[in-house]
Amino acid sequence: MSTETQAAAAASPTVQTGRPEDRVKIFDTTLRDGEQSPGCSMNLQEKLRVASVLEELGVDIIEAGFPIASNGDFEAVHEVAKLVKKSQVAGLARATKKDIDRAWEALKPAASPRIHTFISTSPLHMKYKLQMEPAKVYQAVIDSVTHARKLCGDVEWSAEDGTRTEHDFLCRCVEAAIKAGASTINIPDTVGYTVPEEIFALFQMLRNRVPNIDKAVLSAHNHNDLGLGVANSLAAFRGGARQVECTINGIGERAGNAAMEEIVMALRVRHDAMPFWTGVDSTKITKASRLLSSITGFSVQPNKAIVGANAFAHESGIHQDGMLKNAATYEIMTPESVGLTKSSLVLGKHSGRHAFKTKLESLGYSLGDNQLNDAFARFKELADAKKDVFDEDLVALVDDEVTRVNDHVRFQAMRILCGTKGPQTCDLDLEVEGKRRSAHATGNGPIDAAFNAIHLIYPHDAALQLYQVHAVTGGTDAQAEVTVRLEENGKTVMGQGADHDTLVASVRAYVNALNKLIVKRARTAPDDVAEAMRA
Ligand code: KIV
Ligand code: ZN
């Protein structure tokens, strides 16, 4: 295929198609393996927002969590199961009856549920982590899959540390899992150790040696410790995998999981070299990536493939000249094919409530009357302060508004005195449980003064671990989107805030984090998934 045809194919807003036997299922584990990584935890509302976008993307399976790990995880899987209609919803369980029963309890309301059960099969994991003989592990594979299949018609079995497992033992376990009723067999590269040729040969070996292999879909799950997660996934497709487990922006344990957007676009752009295809609508990729970054505060590195800020930027004169003559000279896919559109001027200060509501609906938001009124009032303030209001401004503003439902503490007003002659001061008004409270504080700079004022109004012991500012659009009048991470007694929360005034955005973000902490404090159950994984 010529480069021009490639670019045109990649620009098509529709999902890819191909031969049915080359279709690869996308199993998204952003809400489980991704969320499990330090600093990436999300609350229930955030998980539901991510799940909706994953469904919009057209992923086949959403792994919503690990129900036994905590009450919070159970609730998240349960609510995602109720919400999602088109994608399948999976819940993770170790190879025990208790885990599997809990996963099933959480998954029951799903239109199409899947129990995903796993056990380690490598000599290293069996000896040191499980402290189980191979024969016991083999029996646990049979017992766990048999039990899961009694509850749920769709069961996936994973051989944890599969790429470091002895082939004979792996073949026996895979055969037994399929015989017990697993219809998907996942071979994780748990520690990101394998290389493309090796994983290709591993999947081929399973297809050649396991007698009942045609009764199951083979799946790859690659971690990125050597930066090979995506390359290994593509090699696994060549070897026979027809499901891939991946995450948005490649978040996940340690160096992360294979990035979904990279797999999807590699298959789209290089369809000539790889016949495989997915059901993902690639034009929703940017939306999903931005939502996840703003929720977790994990910004994407600027040069990250597909979703980095520089992925479609052309700085050098030679490149710009080439681009003007023909975009295909330096672009192998169009920005539009991943949903990156040019900033469009949307509304002005004279726009009415109806136009505002219609625009939000076209961006995928449908707000209740009260939220719409609040968002409209903030839009009017923004349109007064900022010359041009773009789609991105509205998304930031509404995302900010949507996160504020049921808040205990609310931002009201503030006044800052700052500059070279200190001390910097802040007069702050917050509403705490419906009552207006005010404080005056000084600080080492305006942000410090503002955060000290929050402390005076709402005393707490949380430590500020991260403070990050991001400009929503270009220009000096751009809105600031601030992310704040607070930590208290091992519990971490992220807060976001947006405003055309960076200091107001900072206070909004801090207050947002505080509200999440209040909710998290109220939970009594341990909510450390990693802890449960180690047990
Ligand atoms: O990396 C891994 O082995 C996993 C399994 C639990 C599927 O995440
Ligand atoms: Zn994993």
Side-chain angles (χ1 to χ4, degrees):
M1 204 195 277
S2 73
T3 320
E4 274 168 58
T5 333
Q6 279 168 30
S12 154
T14 55
V15 293
Q16 237 189 318
T17 52
R19 297 188 317 165
E21 58 270 37
D22 295 328
R23 167 79 154 83
V24 172
K25 287 188 186 186
I26 295 287
F27 177 112
D28 181 277
T29 185
T30 305
L31 294 175
R32 200 278 298 168
D33 220 344
E35 209 251 355
Q36 213 165 291
S37 59
C40 270
S41 63
M42 299 173 227
N43 67 23
L44 177 61
Q45 292 313 321
E46 292 165 343
K47 286 184 185 175
L48 291 174
R49 286 171 69 202
V50 172
S52 294
V53 172
L54 290 173
E55 191 173 28
E56 239 184 89
L57 262 168
V59 310
D60 299 280
I61 303 115
I62 298 173
E63 186 165 51
F66 188 10
I68 194 85
S70 70
N71 290 342
D73 241 51
F74 177 90
E75 197 186 357
V77 176
H78 198 60
E79 294 305 315
V80 171
K82 284 194 220 159
L83 176 80
V84 168
K85 295 286 168 276
K86 285 186 270 178
S87 312
Q88 280 196 266
V89 179
L92 187 68
R94 287 166 299 184
T96 66
K97 191 171 175 302
K98 203 167 150 218
D99 269 47
I100 292 168
D101 288 345
R102 190 81 175 137
W104 177 239
E105 207 48 44
L107 286 167
K108 255 187 204 159
S112 183
R114 172 181 290 190
I115 295 178
H116 176 193
T117 182
F118 73 100
I119 191 164
S120 293
T121 50
S122 69
L124 199 67
H125 275 222
M126 289 192 289
K127 182 164 179 201
Y128 294 103
K129 180 185 139 163
L130 298 177
Q131 295 176 347
M132 279 167 82
E133 289 300 322
K136 282 257 157 49
V137 170
Y138 179 77
Q139 192 55 47
V141 173
I142 298 172
D143 294 346
S144 56
V145 175
T146 305
H147 182 62
R149 254 320 284 276
K150 279 190 196 136
L151 304 172
C152 182
D154 187 331
V155 173
E156 169 172 337
W157 177 74
S158 283
E160 192 183 3
D161 207 17
T163 54
R164 294 194 297 172
T165 297
E166 284 170 355
H167 286 188
D168 287 353
F169 187 61
L170 187 61
C171 287
R172 284 185 56 224
C173 288
V174 167
E175 185 182 353
I178 297 173
K179 206 164 157 208
S183 48
T184 305
I185 297 292
N186 183 41
I187 311 294
D189 183 30
T190 304
V191 290
Y193 178 73
T194 197
V195 293
E197 276 316 303
E198 187 178 77
I199 196 168
F200 161 71
L202 179 66
F203 278 84
Q204 261 206 336
M205 183 278 297
L206 289 171
R207 280 174 58 217
N208 291 333
R209 288 187 49 191
V210 177
N212 53 0
I213 200 74
D214 56 318
K215 297 200 168 51
V217 173
L218 277 176
S219 167
H221 174 118
N222 294 305
H223 280 269
N224 209 26
D225 299 64
L226 293 173
L228 293 172
V230 171
N232 288 336
S233 303
L234 300 177
F237 303 155
R238 267 198 305 124
R242 290 294 180 271
Q243 173 179 289
V244 63
E245 306 198 349
C246 47
T247 59
I248 300 288
N249 296 344
I251 66 166
E253 291 274 21
R254 306 179 310 280
N257 289 60
M260 184 222 280
E261 61 279 4
E262 294 179 22
I263 294 171
V264 167
M265 290 316 288
L267 294 185
R268 266 193 83 141
V269 175
R270 294 309 311 273
H271 193 64
D272 58 327
M274 298 172 284
F276 316 107
W277 57 286
T278 74
V280 166
D281 177 353
S282 64
T283 62
K284 301 287 191 303
I285 283 176
T286 300
K287 178 176 177 183
S289 164
R290 287 186 178 166
L291 175 70
L292 188 69
S293 296
S294 102
I295 285 178
T296 58
F298 263 46
S299 1
V300 165
Q301 72 194 55
N303 59 333
K304 158 95 175 59
I306 318 295
V307 290
N310 291 352
F312 294 92
H314 302 278
E315 193 73 33
S316 89
I318 296 174
H319 286 204
Q320 283 178 351
D321 182 54
M323 285 291 295
L324 289 174
K325 288 175 178 147
N326 182 339
T329 50
Y330 287 103
E331 252 174 24
I332 58 165
M333 57 197 144
T334 63
E336 290 78 15
S337 65
V338 298
L340 190 67
T341 47
K342 287 205 178 59
S343 293
S344 55
L345 188 57
V346 285
L347 300 168
K349 62 178 173 184
H350 300 298
S351 306
R353 197 173 175 281
H354 183 71
F356 179 69
K357 185 171 180 240
T358 311
K359 182 70 205 176
L360 289 190
E361 279 165 2
S362 78
L363 291 170
Y365 293 96
S366 98
L367 304 188
D369 277 351
N370 287 346
Q371 266 190 339
L372 187 69
N373 287 343
D374 291 350
F376 185 59
R378 281 187 64 188
F379 158 70
K380 283 286 182 186
E381 276 172 29
L382 182 66
D384 269 340
K386 194 174 183 295
K387 207 165 69 215
D388 301 325
V389 178
F390 298 102
D391 279 358
E392 293 92 322
D393 287 313
L394 287 188
V395 169
L397 187 151
V398 176
D399 278 349
D400 190 70
E401 206 52 51
V402 167
T403 56
R404 272 154 234 300
V405 200
N406 304 327
D407 276 0
H408 298 258
V409 185
R410 287 170 181 271
F411 172 78
Q412 295 291 312
M414 70 188 277
R415 195 180 160 87
I416 292 269
L417 191 67
C418 63
T420 48
K421 281 195 182 153
Q424 288 77 25
T425 63
C426 173
D427 288 291
L428 179 67
D429 294 338
L430 298 179
E431 195 184 275
V432 181
E433 310 291 2
K435 290 205 181 90
R436 198 168 177 110
R437 303 263 176 81
S438 306
H440 170 84
T442 57
N444 188 10
I447 307 278
D448 192 41
F451 290 179
N452 287 343
I454 298 176
H455 264 275
L456 288 177
I457 297 176
Y458 195 90
H460 58 278
D461 294 327
L464 179 68
Q465 285 192 328
L466 174 132
Y467 170 83
Q468 195 170 276
V469 186
H470 155 83
V472 173
T473 57
T476 49
D477 64 353
Q479 275 198 98
E481 207 167 32
V482 174
T483 303
V484 155
R485 183 163 72 220
L486 298 181
E487 190 271 333
E488 187 187 76
N489 299 329
K491 290 189 192 296
T492 310
V493 286
M494 307 291 299
Q496 288 81 33
D499 200 276
H500 62 273
D501 182 318
T502 309
L503 297 167
V504 174
S506 304
V507 170
R508 284 187 182 279
Y510 197 112
V511 167
N512 181 232
L514 212 47
N515 279 302
K516 289 183 183 170
L517 197 60
I518 295 167
V519 173
K520 212 161 188 186
R521 275 180 195 155
R523 291 187 201 280
T524 46
D527 61 354
D528 188 347
V529 176
E531 204 47 57
M533 286 285 280
R534 279 192 287 271

